[in-house]
Amino acid sequence: MPKPPAPSLTIDDRLVIAAALDRILYDDPDRFQPEDARTVRRLIPHSRSSWLRLGFRAERQGPSMKGEAAGIGDVRMEGDKSVVEGNLGESTVWRCGQYKISNHGGDLEIWQVMSDEFAQEPKGARLEFDAGGRPERLTFFQPRDIELRIPFTSFAVGVRLGGWQPWKWAGDGTPAAGSA
């Protein structure tokens, strides 16, 4: 049986979503309007995500050369760096203005277009909703980087663990009882 086509967003929907996200992210440092969060959640189609989502990035430095140049002295030339990125278990991502958004049901994951989990300074946020569908809070992506060096070699393996830290609350800016 053929897979049904993915739902689409009109340009008007995308503009409404981008404007609501601008207000959520930038209007107030401590809170956001629940109606904006409900609007974004209503307009972004829900997509299934797998129970395990992994992203990876591998960097490899090419060979380097060193020598002497007449009149300059010691010279070192680094080889080209190659980068391979990928992911597993990602859900559908929607582009609206400067944002990429995924609707996982219980939360909306929001990234600036030129940013992701592997960026030097990642710019991601998550709008979280309670079981009744009421907006609760906004969290921001705070990575923890670990580097494992392989003894007696020049190899290192970097691991970035994602974590979400509280940022803003819906409505009056105070967490609900039992939240935090």
Side-chain angles (χ1 to χ4, degrees):
M1 173 182 258
K3 185 177 179 181
S8 180
L9 290 175
T10 66
I11 189 68
D12 292 339
D13 290 341
R14 292 172 193 263
L15 291 171
V16 168
I17 291 165
L21 288 174
D22 282 342
R23 288 190 299 272
I24 289 168
L25 297 171
Y26 300 115
D27 271 3
D28 187 296
D30 300 318
R31 63 180 175 221
F32 61 91
Q33 294 302 314
E35 188 55 39
D36 284 332
R38 283 191 286 272
T39 298
V40 174
R41 186 177 190 202
R42 179 176 41 83
L43 291 173
I44 296 291
H46 179 266
S47 58
R48 296 184 64 151
S49 57
S50 73
W51 64 274
L52 177 64
R53 291 182 6 207
L54 294 173
F56 66 88
R57 176 185 174 105
E59 294 181 8
R60 183 173 157 244
Q61 186 72 37
S64 62
M65 297 186 300
K66 62 182 175 179
E68 289 186 26
I72 295 176
D74 292 340
V75 176
R76 181 177 176 91
M77 294 177 55
E78 295 292 332
D80 292 337
K81 183 190 291 188
S82 61
V83 177
V84 177
E85 291 183 354
N87 56 52
L88 172 71
E90 277 296 311
S91 57
T92 304
V93 176
W94 298 92
R95 167 83 188 267
C96 300
Q98 67 169 326
Y99 307 105
K100 300 178 289 187
I101 309 136
S102 296
N103 183 347
H104 302 292
D107 65 68
L108 295 170
E109 199 168 306
I110 306 154
W111 289 91
Q112 281 192 333
V113 169
M114 299 302 287
S115 184
D116 62 16
E117 297 92 337
F118 303 113
Q120 194 73 11
E121 293 181 27
K123 293 179 173 78
R126 182 180 284 168
L127 257 174
E128 298 176 359
F129 297 82
D130 67 13
R134 291 179 297 276
E136 282 189 310
R137 67 182 183 164
L138 183 69
T139 58
F140 68 95
F141 185 74
Q142 181 66 53
R144 290 182 301 256
D145 293 329
I146 300 169
E147 184 174 273
L148 307 170
R149 293 218 167 262
I150 300 172
F152 310 111
T153 71
S154 61
F155 296 110
V157 175
V159 177
R160 175 164 276 185
L161 303 173
W164 299 91
Q165 301 297 316
W167 179 8
K168 299 180 181 189
W169 298 96
D172 66 1
T174 57
S179 299

